[in-house]
Amino acid sequence: MKQVELVRARTLNDLFPGIAGDMKRSLEENGLHAFYAYPAIALFSISTPKVDLWSRRYVVDELYTVIKRYAPGNTAILPDDKGHVGIIFSWDDRESLLELYSSICNQEHNFSPQSISLGISNPYPQLSDLHHGYEQALLAMKYQFYQDQSQPIYFSSITEYASDAEYPENMEDELLHLLTSDSITESSTIRQAVDGFYETLTRNGPLPVNKVVDATLQLLVSLQLRVKSALGQPHLCSTPDITALMQLHTLEEMKDAVCEAIKGMGGASYTSDCLNRNLIKKAVTLMEEEYDKVSLHYVADKVFITPAYLSSLFKSKMGVTFIEHLTRIRISNAKKLLKQTHLKNYEVAERVGYQDSRYFSQIFKKKVGLSPSEFRDAN
């Protein structure tokens, strides 16, 4: 009779039911500890800088070697097929597992504490259910992005990701205001605004990391565009490195990166006063060219700032409101039409942006001291 050759499990996934049959038997056949009271599974993961595949495998192998050497004896240790190191353990023995994690994060084994994540499943009555625990541990590790560094993540402690979130435009406006303020902005103030941006973004719950990255890209690109466009230099805008953002381990690291990027936008390439002058110049030019159809929202959109910010700029830099300045432009052009054409008063009103001719007449008399007809007769 031909003897069946024993196939050794090379990864944790090879042990799970549906692949290797009975879990306990698979552990025994592979020379691994097979007796557990309420078994659970822990997954260690290591984040590495941008390195080639072979370098990453080397780092993962180093982590596996350290864990296998220092982990408690009543555990089963195998890598999985996703680049993690898995440990099967009894729930009552989890303190010894946490001690191992602590020693690794405390740089006792030459690993950076920021690079190590640990996801822990719920305990199960039987080993045959542990494939569910594996999925739980994978999900738990994804939440490392939102956790303090060097803290294990229990599946039981995580909440579901929010399905979606509204982009916090008001917080982007606040950051733009800090960039363009006349006074020097403290780093702590920028950090508070950045914290506020992410707090607003995740107020309905944590988001998948890719959605946080998307919002971060939108923030940085939009701020660059609004600043450079105000200077008449939109070609200077550059897209942040999405790969670099994706490699950040935690939300705190992303906040740090955003703060540095924003402070870089406020460098020596421009001054806030220059920026504000260019914003006003562009807005006024647009108003003079399209006075018949412009509005506060229309102009703000064209110069890449919010209506509220444009309104505040007019008050602070020109001493008048947006509407007051637009009215001056419209009345000035109305006077030219009344003097140089035979258009009727309502036609003049429409030409300069007033659909209500009676309202136009009231505004004209208030500003000029004469009605449109009286002004035409006098000229």
Side-chain angles (χ1 to χ4, degrees):
M1 182 175 178
K2 189 175 181 180
Q3 187 174 2
V4 178
E5 183 179 353
L6 176 64
V7 178
R8 291 285 182 181
R10 290 184 294 178
T11 71
L12 189 65
N13 308 78
D14 295 335
L15 298 175
F16 294 141
I19 300 176
D22 180 72
M23 185 75 162
K24 182 179 178 182
R25 180 181 176 184
S26 296
L27 288 168
E28 290 174 338
E29 289 177 347
N30 282 274
L32 300 172
H33 186 75
F35 299 93
Y36 299 91
Y38 293 98
I41 190 164
L43 288 180
F44 283 78
S45 177
I46 184 164
S47 301
T48 57
K50 193 188 302 182
V51 294
D52 59 74
L53 180 61
W54 291 108
S55 297
R56 165 146 181 88
R57 285 180 177 175
Y58 173 79
V59 174
V60 174
D61 286 345
E62 286 289 299
L63 178 63
Y64 172 69
T65 300
V66 168
I67 291 175
K68 192 170 183 180
R69 181 176 180 181
Y70 293 99
N74 53 346
T75 60
I77 304 164
L78 273 176
D80 71 356
D81 58 7
K82 295 181 173 60
H84 310 128
V85 179
I87 302 181
I88 300 172
F89 66 99
S90 294
W91 189 249
D92 289 343
D93 296 332
R94 62 187 179 277
E95 287 301 324
S96 59
L97 193 70
L98 297 182
E99 289 176 6
L100 170 64
Y101 180 55
S102 177
S103 71
I104 293 175
C105 290
N106 289 334
Q107 299 180 309
E108 294 179 20
H109 306 288
N110 298 318
F111 292 108
S112 169
Q114 293 89 347
S115 66
I116 305 295
S117 303
L118 174 60
I120 301 177
S121 76
N122 291 337
Y124 281 87
Q126 300 178 13
L127 278 169
S128 58
D129 296 323
L130 209 54
H131 58 289
H132 297 303
Y134 174 72
E135 297 299 328
Q136 290 179 344
L138 284 175
L139 287 172
M141 277 195 303
K142 292 182 179 180
Y143 279 76
Q144 184 68 41
F145 184 75
Y146 290 99
Q147 300 292 328
D148 292 335
Q149 295 171 352
S150 307
Q151 293 296 317
I153 311 298
Y154 289 89
F155 176 78
S156 59
S157 69
I158 67 176
T159 58
E160 289 187 7
Y161 281 132
S163 58
D164 207 351
E166 184 177 347
Y167 180 79
E169 293 183 1
N170 60 320
M171 301 309 300
E172 179 186 310
D173 295 341
E174 182 175 335
L175 284 163
L176 180 67
H177 176 71
L178 293 176
L179 275 171
T180 58
S181 62
D182 292 330
S183 58
I184 297 174
T185 302
E186 297 289 339
S187 296
S188 59
T189 305
I190 292 177
R191 181 55 187 247
Q192 287 177 356
V194 170
D195 286 344
F197 176 87
Y198 288 103
E199 286 172 7
T200 305
L201 181 68
T202 58
R203 62 186 170 189
N204 294 327
L207 293 169
V209 176
N210 67 307
K211 290 186 178 292
V212 179
V213 172
D214 288 345
T216 302
L217 284 170
Q218 182 176 346
L219 171 67
L220 295 179
V221 171
S222 181
L223 285 176
Q224 285 183 330
L225 183 63
R226 294 167 77 176
V227 168
K228 300 303 182 183
S229 179
L231 289 172
Q233 299 171 319
H235 60 283
L236 294 179
C237 294
S238 59
T239 303
D241 186 348
I242 185 171
T243 303
L245 290 176
M246 288 293 290
Q247 290 181 342
L248 296 175
H249 304 142
T250 67
L251 181 58
E252 289 303 308
E253 289 184 1
M254 186 163 288
K255 290 178 181 180
D256 291 340
V258 169
C259 286
E260 289 303 313
I262 289 174
K263 285 188 284 187
M265 295 177 197
S269 61
Y270 68 91
T271 64
S272 61
D273 190 53
C274 173
L275 172 62
N276 289 329
R277 285 201 306 270
N278 277 278
L279 282 171
I280 290 293
K281 182 178 178 181
K282 290 185 68 175
V284 169
T285 299
L286 187 62
M287 293 164 73
E288 291 174 344
E289 292 175 350
E290 302 183 42
Y291 55 84
D292 59 322
K293 64 179 181 181
V294 299
S295 65
L296 178 64
H297 284 74
Y298 178 88
V299 175
D301 185 60
K302 291 293 184 181
V303 298
F304 302 101
I305 60 176
T306 63
Y309 187 68
L310 180 60
S311 178
S312 67
L313 271 185
F314 263 88
K315 291 178 181 178
S316 63
K317 301 301 179 184
M318 298 191 67
V320 295
T321 66
F322 176 90
I323 293 299
E324 286 172 339
H325 191 74
L326 179 58
T327 300
R328 289 178 185 176
I329 295 173
R330 286 176 168 174
I331 296 301
S332 175
N333 282 277
K335 289 162 70 175
K336 292 178 183 178
L337 291 173
L338 290 169
K339 286 194 292 184
Q340 299 172 7
T341 72
H342 297 289
L343 293 172
K344 295 181 179 179
N345 288 352
Y346 77 86
E347 293 175 318
V348 171
E350 290 177 353
R351 290 283 184 93
V352 298
Y354 293 102
Q355 300 304 312
D356 188 334
S357 60
R358 287 184 295 179
Y359 179 69
F360 163 67
S361 295
Q362 293 172 0
I363 294 294
F364 190 94
K365 186 168 185 177
K366 181 178 179 181
K367 298 297 182 182
V368 180
L370 300 171
S371 69
S373 298
E374 292 170 339
F375 178 84
R376 188 195 297 270
D377 292 341
N379 292 273

